Amino acid sequence: MFSQYKYWKPFVGPFDPCKPIRVKSYNTPPQLYMNFQPPGLQQFTPREALMSGTLWPQLYSPYPDPHKGGKPHG
């Protein structure tokens, strides 16, 4: 399944002074996965577009990561 969020497990050294973060993540913008903007894309209503930051649902990227318990805007 496609996900805008990528995860990796960084190296945790035995002498690191801070509590280790076992899994780190980053997100990739959805436009990276479109070659071009096809004509006739579905559009949000004006209110939804203002709340989402984009007119097209296919280009919407929630923030923060919903897999970490964050609630996406909108």
Side-chain angles (χ1 to χ4, degrees):
M1 181 176 168
F2 169 76
S3 174
Q4 294 177 23
Y5 298 95
K6 312 298 185 234
Y7 303 92
W8 83 96
K9 295 179 181 177
F11 173 76
V12 177
F15 303 110
D16 288 344
C18 300
K19 181 180 175 183
I21 299 173
R22 302 281 179 195
V23 178
K24 292 190 176 188
S25 66
Y26 66 97
N27 68 331
T28 53
Q31 66 266 24
L32 292 178
Y33 304 99
M34 296 178 112
N35 291 335
F36 59 93
Q37 185 174 324
L41 284 178
Q42 176 187 357
Q43 294 183 356
F44 281 128
T45 65
R47 178 174 170 72
E48 289 173 321
L50 287 172
M51 298 299 290
S52 301
T54 182
L55 183 58
W56 301 279
Q58 293 83 352
L59 296 178
Y60 173 66
S61 180
Y63 182 83
D65 185 352
H67 296 106
K68 289 185 171 182
K71 295 181 181 177
H73 300 299

